[in-house]
Amino acid sequence: MEIERINENTIKFYISYIDIEDRGFDKEDIWYNRERSEQLFWQMMDEVNYKEDFSVDGPLWIQVQAMDKGLEIVVTKAQLSKDGESLELNVDDKTIQTSVEEKVDSVLEDKFGSHEEDGEESEEELSFVIQFRDFEDVIQLSHYFEETYGIENRLYHYKEKYMLYVEFDDTVLGDDEQEDILSQLLEFGYDSQTTIYRLEEYGKVIFADDALTQVKQYFPLK
């Protein structure tokens, strides 16, 4: 795998299809198996971090270009503003700013849109990982919600960060309710590219069931 450091926040790397196969993956995995493609991506990112000290501790902007003999991937780390309401990505000296509402649309498109084919909607429930700057934000969030019915949530500690896995039950919550709750969650944290599989394998479980309710019980507001 060839790696090129663009700047402090951006890195580009190229991996051939032969290298991908040597890692135990194939083209079917890359294009049609989301779990396997995520495994490949994070495997490559671990190698990038090892060789270039490019640690991932926040949202990412990822661009993938399929080439004749492999994939070219550009990864840029986003910088959160102080108010937590916007996301800045420095890509080729151009700044992209995304509001909380736009982040919601992006997350929903990523979770739902990528599974839609021929006009058919995926029946998979919406799930994602929210990362927090510190544990105080988790406490504030837990007291924000009076009811978490229809929201499966588990809290993990991974790479010195607290991460909340959230999955909506679409038999309980409609699309509008899910979008509204997601926008509220993103006021306290931000959508992470870390997968639940990675958290389960490498993270430490803090609360395995109804995490927000337990955090609220154990950590009252001062």
Side-chain angles (χ1 to χ4, degrees):
M1 187 169 70
E2 302 174 8
I3 303 172
E4 178 184 355
R5 188 67 176 256
I6 305 300
N7 55 43
E8 181 181 355
N9 296 316
T10 302
I11 201 156
K12 178 170 70 175
F13 52 95
Y14 172 84
I15 183 169
S16 68
Y17 292 125
I18 295 176
D19 191 358
I20 290 173
E21 291 177 357
D22 289 342
R23 295 168 184 259
F25 300 86
D26 56 38
K27 289 186 178 181
E28 292 293 320
D29 290 333
I30 298 172
W31 303 121
Y32 302 111
N33 189 320
R34 185 179 182 85
E35 179 181 345
R36 290 284 287 166
S37 64
E38 289 177 346
Q39 290 175 354
L40 173 62
F41 174 76
W42 288 111
Q43 185 182 110
M44 292 187 295
M45 288 303 299
D46 284 342
E47 183 175 335
V48 168
N49 182 32
Y50 175 77
K51 293 182 177 179
E52 294 290 335
D53 191 24
F54 190 80
S55 61
V56 177
D57 54 4
L60 298 176
W61 181 85
I62 304 169
Q63 182 182 32
V64 181
Q65 181 177 357
M67 307 179 75
D68 291 339
K69 297 183 179 180
L71 301 176
E72 183 180 84
I73 303 170
V74 178
V75 179
T76 299
K77 293 189 288 187
Q79 304 297 311
L80 286 173
S81 63
K82 293 182 179 179
D83 60 11
E85 292 296 322
S86 63
L87 188 65
E88 296 183 356
L89 298 170
N90 295 321
V91 185
D92 296 332
D93 298 326
K94 295 181 180 179
T95 301
I96 302 172
Q97 293 189 333
T98 307
S99 66
V100 169
E101 289 76 15
E102 290 170 330
K103 282 192 287 181
V104 172
D105 292 339
S106 175
V107 172
L108 291 174
E109 181 180 356
D110 177 58
K111 303 300 180 181
F112 282 144
S114 60
H115 292 283
E116 295 178 1
E117 292 186 11
D118 301 327
E120 296 182 1
E121 294 186 1
S122 169
E123 296 181 357
E124 294 185 11
E125 294 176 338
L126 176 63
S127 64
F128 46 91
V129 175
I130 299 293
Q131 181 171 318
F132 301 89
R133 287 182 292 275
D134 53 53
F135 189 67
E136 182 62 31
D137 290 336
V138 183
I139 297 175
Q140 293 293 330
L141 173 62
S142 71
H143 287 270
Y144 182 83
F145 286 101
E146 295 183 2
E147 178 61 61
T148 58
Y149 182 62
I151 310 173
E152 178 186 348
N153 55 101
R154 305 196 292 268
L155 186 65
Y156 294 83
H157 189 254
Y158 173 68
K159 288 189 174 181
E160 306 302 321
K161 299 289 184 180
Y162 289 95
M163 298 189 178
L164 184 72
Y165 170 75
V166 178
E167 181 176 307
F168 290 140
D169 184 345
D170 56 14
T171 65
V172 176
L173 302 170
D175 292 344
D176 291 340
E177 292 175 298
Q178 293 181 28
E179 184 173 351
D180 182 58
I181 293 172
L182 178 56
S183 66
Q184 296 172 45
L185 290 169
L186 291 175
E187 292 179 7
F188 294 87
Y190 49 90
D191 182 50
S192 173
Q193 299 296 322
T194 304
T195 67
I196 182 58
Y197 311 105
R198 196 171 185 82
L199 291 179
E200 288 177 341
E201 185 171 357
Y202 299 107
K204 177 181 179 182
V205 179
I206 306 301
F207 292 112
D209 182 56
D210 203 3
L212 292 176
T213 297
Q214 295 197 64
V215 170
K216 183 177 181 179
Q217 292 175 347
Y218 285 102
F219 300 92
L221 290 177
K222 298 179 181 180

